[in-house]
Amino acid sequence: IHCVAILNRQGNPLYLRNFDKQQEDVKFHYLVYTSCDVIEERLEENKNGDLFLGLLQTIGDMAVYGYMTNTGKKIILVTSVSIESAAIRSARIKEICQSVHAAYIAMVCNPFN
């Protein structure tokens, strides 16, 4: 995982963490903001109510995945493109998104934070 971002309903960043120190933060800001339009399109198409939006876009060697919370927050993960099966990769990314969502809920619900 290169980057994790959490955006509010309007698309403003609440949290953006760059784990790849060789890349600048601006590149990940660009990837996250360009994914917001794709998320809006996916939400219009998504009729089954699944929170995981799947692969949003690939740019070069980066793959961007999206997850929408019940309250409208958007969780975006930027990862490397790999050779493993798309179904296995999608399941792993979905688990990671659910873990990030649970950590975000725990942080927001903590009155001492």
Side-chain angles (χ1 to χ4, degrees):
I1 296 176
H2 293 286
C3 175
V4 174
I6 300 175
L7 307 173
N8 66 7
R9 285 184 176 189
Q10 292 79 25
N12 299 324
L14 300 174
Y15 179 80
L16 191 132
R17 174 80 189 264
N18 176 5
F19 296 106
D20 186 3
K21 297 303 175 193
Q22 295 175 350
Q23 302 286 338
E24 292 186 27
D25 289 342
V26 174
K27 179 177 182 176
F28 295 114
H29 279 277
Y30 172 76
L31 290 173
V32 168
Y33 286 127
T34 56
S35 299
C36 287
D37 295 332
V38 180
I39 289 175
E40 296 301 324
E41 291 174 7
R42 290 278 173 92
L43 289 176
E44 293 174 6
E45 298 170 1
N46 188 7
K47 302 296 181 202
N48 60 1
D50 190 18
L51 298 176
F52 183 64
L53 301 173
L55 179 66
L56 301 175
Q57 62 182 342
T58 56
I59 297 178
D61 61 343
M62 305 275 187
V64 182
Y65 291 86
Y67 184 88
M68 181 75 127
T69 66
N70 294 334
T71 59
K73 307 285 190 290
K74 300 167 189 83
I75 298 173
I76 299 174
L77 296 177
V78 180
T79 64
S80 297
V81 175
S82 68
I83 345 173
E84 68 184 69
S85 163
I88 294 172
R89 181 150 180 89
S90 182
R92 291 170 113 192
I93 296 294
K94 185 175 182 177
E95 290 175 9
I96 293 170
C97 287
Q98 290 170 342
S99 299
V100 170
H101 186 197
Y104 175 73
I105 289 171
M107 193 262 323
V108 169
C109 293
N110 185 355
F112 300 109
N113 200 357

